[in-house]
Amino acid sequence: MIREFTSAEVLFIVMAVRWTLILSAIAFLGGALGGLLIALTRTSASKGLRRMAAGFIQVFQGTPLLMQLFLVYFGLAVVGLPINPLLAAAVALTLHASAYLGEIWRGAIEAVPSGQSEAASALSLSYRDRMRHVVLPQALRLAIAPTVGFLVQLIKGTSLASIIGFTELTRAGQIINNATFQPFLVFGTVAALYFILCWPLSLLARHMEARMRRAITR
Amino acid sequence: MTEKAIIMRAVNKYYGAFHALKDIDLTVDRGERIVICGPSGSGKSTLIRTINQLEAIESGTIIVDEIELTAGGDNVTKVRQDVGMVFQSFNLFPHMTVLENCVLAPMKSRKVSRTEAEATARQYLERVKIPEQADKYPAQLSGGQQQRVAIARALCMKPRIMLFDEPTSALDPEMVKEVLDTMIDLAREGMTMLCVTHEMEFARAVADRVIFMDKGVIVEENAPDAFFNNPVNERLQNFLGQIA
Ligand SMILES: Nc1ncnc2c1ncn2[C@@H]1O[C@H](COP(=O)(O)OP(=O)(O)O)[C@@H](O)[C@H]1O
Ligand SMILES: [Mg+2]
């Protein structure tokens, strides 16, 4: 039986957007925490810690996201956790986002002139206060645009979770296509939905970059 | 008063294989004002940066306000609370207003309340003659004004010692005087000061002692009159000839 591509099918696909959003949100928030940790470790005074963080970044930037998804997906069973596509996708994407955000934020931290940190040290501020009040606020301004840019990549990257059987937007499209054999309509709809999610973010990133440039020349 | 503000004994500092400070011995009395000069690369910045441990040393002893810096623990924090520093490039925090620049360290490090920290900040901004700039951002100020804010910011920690690393070198000539005047005021009030500077007028006006460094060594030190009028060391004679 070949089904028609009706409003019910469209609704099914649109409803799957929420899983794409949830997965993106988990990966982004987890990646933000992990990325901050990686960035601070990458810029720390200890050579050993810096090396470890660099290794983490290299592994996750140097291998395909899909392989990371597979490894985490099958790895869950190895460590005795249930095989759960959402969990696997969330963990893999969080690690992936930690590496990329860590690298973006390391660059931003290093772009803050060393005199800033020195002045804060000379004022007897602790490492924590130096980072929190002096270095990170300045790094954040530099990092916002590339961070939003990465978020767009991440949202598109969640489509790979379809391969391990997680029903987010892309897999919802595959399911409907298998029933309707209307690939152009179905995947056109899916692509349009990704575009609706990502386009405003791209605009936002560009807007913020322009604002940053103006702020620097203030 | 016999109590010493700073005691440095046999201090050695390396950058990798490069020997930047060689067996430095220096004792600074309370209230003493010292000017350090010497050719570029001679180790002047490195020397004063060891006093608040912006640079760690490889050997020797540094005692600041009777606290031994090299002894570890939270001694470094204590010393930094007591020692203010002013940099050539101001290093104000650009994302904070002048007032926020001034209250951050007292609130975070000395745990002073915001009300008290702001009152102190306004008092010091008054003293460096820019009370009306409190709510501006550093980039909205001239270089001379920024450096005076940097001095006020350091003073807000109520330090007993002030370090200056070429505080007027990055300034347009017409702004040098306003910063030097601020420093002269500070000297007159009895602050212990170490100033790396080539402003010889300043040295003559306020220094108790002038130190000449070359290649990581203190080559000559003397009261300003003798230092400028009867330099002994040949390299100092050449140096004074060049900057005169
Ligand atoms: N972070 C550093 N790493 C390596 N060498 C340095 C560093 N800082 C300073 N030096 C070197 O140490 C010497 C003394 O520098 P510095 O104390 O800044 O001199 P000055 O302030 O008298 O110009 C110079 O030769 C400089 O190149
Ligand atoms: Mg210097």
Side-chain angles (χ1 to χ4, degrees):
Chain A
M1 258 309 285
I2 295 178
R3 266 157 62 190
E4 294 290 310
F5 187 60
T6 66
S7 57
E9 279 69 34
V10 173
L11 188 66
F12 180 80
I13 292 175
V14 170
M15 291 309 281
V17 167
R18 72 173 184 278
W19 287 109
T20 291
L21 287 177
I22 287 170
L23 189 55
S24 301
I26 293 174
F28 186 69
L29 294 178
L33 275 178
L36 183 60
L37 208 71
I38 291 289
L40 291 177
T41 315
R42 269 301 265 135
T43 54
S44 79
S46 150
K47 202 170 182 176
L49 284 177
R50 285 203 305 270
R51 284 231 176 103
M52 259 170 52
F56 179 88
I57 292 171
Q58 275 156 15
V59 166
F60 282 92
Q61 287 197 341
T63 55
L65 176 55
L66 186 54
M67 294 310 117
Q68 295 161 21
L69 273 166
F70 282 155
L71 286 172
V72 173
Y73 182 65
F74 295 111
L76 286 180
V78 174
V79 298
L81 287 168
I83 290 198
N84 173 328
L86 173 59
L87 181 63
V91 170
L93 284 163
T94 294
L95 291 171
H96 170 82
S98 298
Y100 276 86
L101 289 176
E103 188 67 359
I104 290 172
W105 295 348
R106 173 195 65 81
I109 287 173
E110 285 176 352
V112 177
S114 60
Q116 291 290 306
S117 192
E118 282 175 4
S121 295
L123 285 163
S124 78
L125 291 175
S126 64
Y127 173 78
R128 211 190 133 90
D129 286 331
R130 273 191 327 259
M131 280 297 159
R132 180 153 162 230
H133 298 287
V134 177
V135 177
L136 291 181
Q138 296 183 59
L140 188 70
R141 292 181 182 198
L142 301 170
I144 282 182
T147 300
V148 176
F150 174 73
L151 178 57
V152 172
Q153 296 300 318
L154 188 65
I155 291 173
K156 292 188 287 188
T158 58
S159 64
L160 287 176
S162 63
I163 299 177
I164 57 169
F166 179 64
T167 309
E168 39 61 74
L169 181 51
T170 298
R171 187 160 154 81
Q174 288 167 343
I175 291 170
I176 296 300
N177 183 52
N178 289 345
T180 62
F181 297 108
Q182 295 268 20
F184 292 108
L185 267 181
V186 172
F187 290 117
T189 306
V190 169
L193 287 169
Y194 276 114
F195 186 76
I196 289 167
L197 294 182
C198 294
W199 172 241
L201 287 173
S202 299
L203 283 185
L204 183 68
R206 217 177 308 159
H207 171 74
M208 284 170 157
E209 221 173 291
R211 226 181 53 177
M212 260 284 308
R213 260 199 300 275
R214 280 201 303 275
I216 285 168
T217 53
R218 177 176 62 195
Chain B
M1 250 194 308
T2 53
E3 205 185 339
K4 301 294 182 192
I6 302 169
I7 301 169
M8 303 178 81
R9 268 192 231 115
V11 169
N12 284 282
K13 163 77 191 169
Y14 293 82
Y15 292 109
F18 179 73
H19 201 168
L21 293 181
K22 298 172 186 159
D23 275 322
I24 298 288
D25 284 304
L26 177 66
T27 304
V28 181
D29 288 332
R30 278 214 188 292
E32 199 178 8
R33 288 140 308 190
I34 292 183
V35 163
I36 302 170
C37 60
S40 169
S42 57
K44 308 179 297 292
S45 299
T46 305
L47 174 71
I48 65 167
R49 288 160 62 91
T50 61
I51 294 168
N52 60 359
Q53 211 177 92
L54 285 187
E55 302 292 350
I57 61 172
E58 268 66 42
S59 70
T61 312
I62 302 178
I63 300 168
V64 181
D65 261 341
E66 308 195 309
I67 303 167
E68 186 167 348
L69 247 188
T70 35
D74 60 354
N75 284 8
V76 174
T77 307
K78 282 197 224 149
V79 165
R80 286 175 178 172
Q81 288 177 338
D82 252 10
V83 178
M85 186 165 207
V86 175
F87 301 85
Q88 180 175 352
S89 49
F90 326 139
N91 295 351
L92 293 176
F93 306 136
H95 58 301
M96 296 181 186
T97 64
V98 164
L99 193 67
E100 286 165 346
N101 263 276
C102 291
V103 300
L104 178 67
M107 286 174 62
K108 296 297 166 190
S109 180
R110 286 222 193 266
K111 313 287 182 204
V112 171
S113 74
R114 175 171 284 277
T115 325
E116 194 187 330
E118 287 192 358
T120 308
R122 289 189 191 279
Q123 181 193 327
Y124 281 114
L125 289 172
E126 186 93 42
R127 262 179 55 185
V128 301
K129 304 192 175 64
I130 32 176
E132 71 287 356
Q133 312 287 2
D135 297 317
K136 291 205 179 151
Y137 284 89
Q140 295 169 296
L141 306 182
S142 73
Q145 290 174 325
Q146 289 189 53
Q147 196 58 301
R148 284 184 285 149
V149 171
I151 294 172
R153 178 176 73 175
L155 292 176
C156 283
M157 283 293 286
K158 310 238 166 105
R160 304 174 76 176
I161 300 168
M162 285 286 286
L163 309 173
F164 293 84
D165 192 357
E166 305 206 29
T168 58
S169 300
L171 296 176
D172 293 334
E174 71 271 19
M175 294 172 186
V176 169
K177 188 174 177 303
E178 64 189 60
V179 171
L180 287 181
D181 285 347
T182 307
M183 291 169 62
I184 290 170
D185 282 346
L186 203 55
R188 300 244 155 92
E189 285 159 25
M191 177 69 77
T192 307
M193 294 166 70
L194 270 81
C195 312
V196 175
T197 179
H198 292 156
E199 295 292 338
M200 291 308 142
E201 286 312 307
F202 173 80
R204 283 180 194 277
V206 307
D208 298 302
R209 205 167 12 139
V210 187
I211 288 177
F212 175 67
M213 283 189 78
D214 192 25
K215 301 194 172 84
V217 178
I218 294 181
V219 177
E220 187 157 337
E221 51 180 303
N222 223 325
D225 272 350
F227 185 91
F228 292 114
N229 300 334
N230 305 306
V232 179
N233 184 278
E234 194 182 325
R235 281 179 288 177
L236 174 55
Q237 290 166 0
N238 288 337
F239 179 75
L240 291 174
Q242 280 163 21
I243 60 170

